[in-house]
Amino acid sequence: MSRPGQLHLNAFLMGVGHHEAAWRLPESDPHAEVDVEHFKNLARIAERGRLDSLFLADGPVLWDQVGRRPSGVLEPTVLLTALAGATERIGLIATASTTYNEPYNLARRFASLDVISGGRAGWNIVTTAGLDAARNFNLDHLPAHRERYERAAEFVDVSLKLWDSWDDDVVLADKASGVWGDQEKIYPPAHRGAHFRVAGALNVPRSPQGHPLLVQAGSSENGRNFAARYAEAVFTAHQTLADAQEFYDDLKRRAAEHGRDPDHIKILPGIVPLIGATEAEARELEAELNRLIRPEFALPVLAELLGVDVADLRLDEELPASLPAEEEIEGAKSRRTLVVNLGRRERLTVREIIARMGGGRGHLTFAGTPAQVADAIESWYDNGAADGFNIMPPVLPSSLERFVDEVVPILQERGRFRTEYTGRTLREHYGLPRPANRNTATTAAHAAALRS
């Protein structure tokens, strides 16, 4: 049965494509990952398709062996500031870690992006797994999973206080009296917590969206609790409709338990669409890309995710019968569980898992015609597994162009996706309200209580 409403679609941009071997295709520019003109072109393609937003992943670490794939990554808020000037409506979501940043600097950076873009900024909140990142920040060990989420919760609380530290109408600009702003409408956080002490107000006025859209990526127990409390959009990875439905129902329920409107948290799984004029053509593209993977580069990455030594993995055998228990893993718990379950369920060899990971790192990979891709997206939406999708083009720019020019029109014809932008901010694209300043709301409530 058709579900009312329309889909939300984001373009998740990564270098020359999400498939790790995309850079080896004749069409690919192996230097494009640090070329701002390449990203401007991608942004304009996505905006032409009326997509909700662009999304950039990030981490404070050199992600891979440089032999494996193009490894340069421009700092995302800087890159999105450039893309804000090259676009008009599409949202701009950047990833930033709560483990290796401080609230004041990061809140200022995202508020600035929201002001510069006219209200199109979003923050993908991550806690950053991996010992290599920890060692870049004076640490000899990775902070425990629960500790990283406890820090993240306080980090977001402080950021919200900072974004609300200016009332919307602080600025008077009264030239006659010589008064520029109303100091009574500045609210310093004066925060003292377990992880942070932040005294003063932000030095950026309250931004067009009130505060940037809050996005979260992570499906562990700690991740779900965090998302239910804070997130307005959730990027997640699922291989089956049933798993996606369970996650969708669980997160909406948890949001309601926090007193939130479940419709104000948009759940967007990732999908890697390999599109061909025929299904056979799409399958051939997938096979060609998988043939170009070099297993010797991919094996250490898989071993680290699983928490095993490289020597424990045999390319043409299934995963070892004995793997570390989930509670022993302090890294990317939910992604590790997904990969293990995929390998066990489909009895994949390590080589086959590497191929499946090479395209989407655990996200759903779908090869088919434009109509088949549209059908798959609609099916998950109609069956309560998603509010939309994070589109992860395997090859850039060609796969994004095919999605925008061949899949989006089908969804538009079916009434499942917008034909024009109706709002200017990212919140408006998602149908979300602009949050009230909690300080103003508290003052108004106190005044009302005194009057009564």
Side-chain angles (χ1 to χ4, degrees):
M1 189 173 88
S2 180
R3 171 183 165 188
Q6 291 189 331
L7 293 153
H8 298 286
L9 300 174
N10 299 319
F12 182 174
L13 305 181
M14 180 172 283
V16 292
H18 281 269
H19 199 286
E20 69 176 75
W23 70 275
R24 299 186 64 189
L25 295 178
E27 70 180 77
S28 294
D29 175 1
H31 306 288
E33 85 282 5
V34 290
D35 181 359
V36 70
E37 296 303 322
H38 167 72
F39 284 97
K40 285 180 180 179
N41 179 48
L42 299 178
R44 291 173 180 133
I45 293 168
E47 190 166 63
R48 186 177 80 227
R50 307 299 187 260
L51 271 58
D52 292 69
S53 76
L54 310 173
F55 166 54
L56 300 178
D58 193 54
V61 65
L62 181 61
W63 271 341
D64 252 329
Q65 304 173 66
V66 296
R68 184 182 184 193
R69 64 184 299 168
S71 299
V73 183
L74 297 174
E75 201 285 325
T77 59
V78 174
L79 177 55
L80 289 179
T81 300
L83 300 188
T87 56
E88 295 181 357
R89 297 291 189 92
I90 196 163
L92 307 163
I93 300 174
T95 299
S97 173
T98 57
T99 307
Y100 305 116
N101 277 295
E102 288 291 322
Y104 197 98
N105 285 343
L106 201 61
R108 184 187 186 200
R109 201 181 312 156
F110 275 101
S112 299
L113 178 59
D114 205 47
V115 170
I116 290 167
S117 65
R120 296 187 280 145
W123 171 23
N124 179 42
I125 306 161
V126 296
T127 61
T128 308
L131 181 58
D132 287 346
R135 287 173 173 163
N136 288 340
F137 293 87
N138 300 310
L139 297 174
D140 294 323
H141 65 279
L142 175 66
H145 193 267
R146 179 175 294 278
E147 179 187 338
R148 298 201 309 274
Y149 272 99
E150 289 171 352
R151 176 186 167 97
E154 187 179 341
F155 195 115
V156 175
D157 286 338
V158 176
S159 297
L160 290 168
K161 291 178 182 179
L162 287 164
W163 288 323
D164 281 351
S165 62
W166 289 56
D167 205 348
D168 284 317
D169 58 356
V170 166
V171 178
L172 304 174
D174 188 338
K175 294 183 179 181
S177 68
V179 177
W180 184 81
D182 185 349
Q183 188 64 34
E184 295 299 314
K185 294 184 177 181
I186 295 290
Y187 311 103
H191 177 89
R192 297 180 68 89
H195 299 277
F196 305 107
R197 289 184 295 172
V198 180
L202 203 63
N203 57 359
V204 180
R206 197 160 192 259
S207 70
Q209 291 189 106
H211 62 73
L213 186 85
L214 298 181
V215 184
Q216 186 265 356
S219 303
S220 66
E221 183 67 16
N222 289 331
R224 293 186 190 210
N225 286 333
F226 183 88
R229 181 176 170 187
Y230 296 107
E232 295 164 299
V234 176
F235 296 159
T236 183
H238 301 290
Q239 287 286 325
T240 69
L241 177 66
D243 286 347
Q245 288 171 319
E246 183 279 326
F247 179 85
Y248 187 95
D249 290 342
D250 180 62
L251 206 53
K252 298 283 186 174
R253 175 186 58 77
R254 293 183 195 221
E257 289 173 353
H258 279 278
R260 300 180 60 196
D261 182 342
D263 194 45
H264 287 177
I265 179 170
K266 308 298 182 183
I267 298 175
L268 309 169
I271 184 171
V272 182
L274 295 121
I275 304 167
T278 64
E279 185 175 346
E281 182 183 298
R283 295 285 181 194
E284 177 51 35
L285 172 60
E286 181 177 34
E288 179 185 8
L289 287 165
N290 289 342
R291 283 194 296 269
L292 294 174
I293 293 175
R294 294 193 51 177
E296 64 269 32
F297 289 138
L299 267 174
V301 178
L302 179 60
E304 181 180 5
L305 179 69
L306 297 174
V308 300
D309 292 330
V310 173
D312 295 333
L313 301 177
R314 302 284 187 274
L315 280 173
D316 295 309
E317 297 179 10
E318 295 180 28
L319 292 175
S322 178
L323 292 171
E326 182 176 305
E327 55 267 23
E328 298 175 35
I329 301 297
E330 291 296 349
K333 284 181 179 286
S334 59
R335 191 60 50 87
R336 188 256 194 187
T337 300
L338 182 151
V339 171
V340 172
N341 289 344
L342 171 66
R344 302 284 196 226
R345 183 176 60 248
E346 300 189 22
R347 304 199 63 181
L348 301 176
T349 65
V350 169
R351 189 186 303 275
E352 290 168 331
I353 291 173
I354 285 172
R356 296 283 282 271
M357 293 288 288
R361 302 174 308 284
H363 289 276
L364 177 68
T365 300
F366 188 91
T369 65
Q372 288 173 323
V373 172
D375 289 345
I377 288 172
E378 274 196 286
S379 175
W380 279 43
Y381 178 79
D382 285 337
N383 285 285
D387 294 309
F389 278 87
N390 226 9
I391 307 304
M392 303 168 59
V395 183
L396 288 169
S398 60
S399 297
L400 180 61
E401 288 178 313
R402 293 205 75 165
F403 185 85
V404 163
D405 294 338
E406 299 177 30
V407 178
V408 167
I410 294 172
L411 295 171
Q412 289 172 332
E413 289 169 7
R414 296 175 181 177
R416 311 316 297 268
F417 193 64
R418 68 173 67 86
T419 55
E420 293 294 341
Y421 290 113
T422 56
R424 301 204 71 88
T425 72
L426 180 52
R427 290 184 178 281
E428 288 172 330
H429 298 343
Y430 278 146
L432 297 175
R434 184 179 189 269
N437 187 314
R438 66 190 64 201
N439 295 299
T440 306
T442 300
T443 300
H446 180 64
L450 290 176
R451 287 195 299 271
S452 64

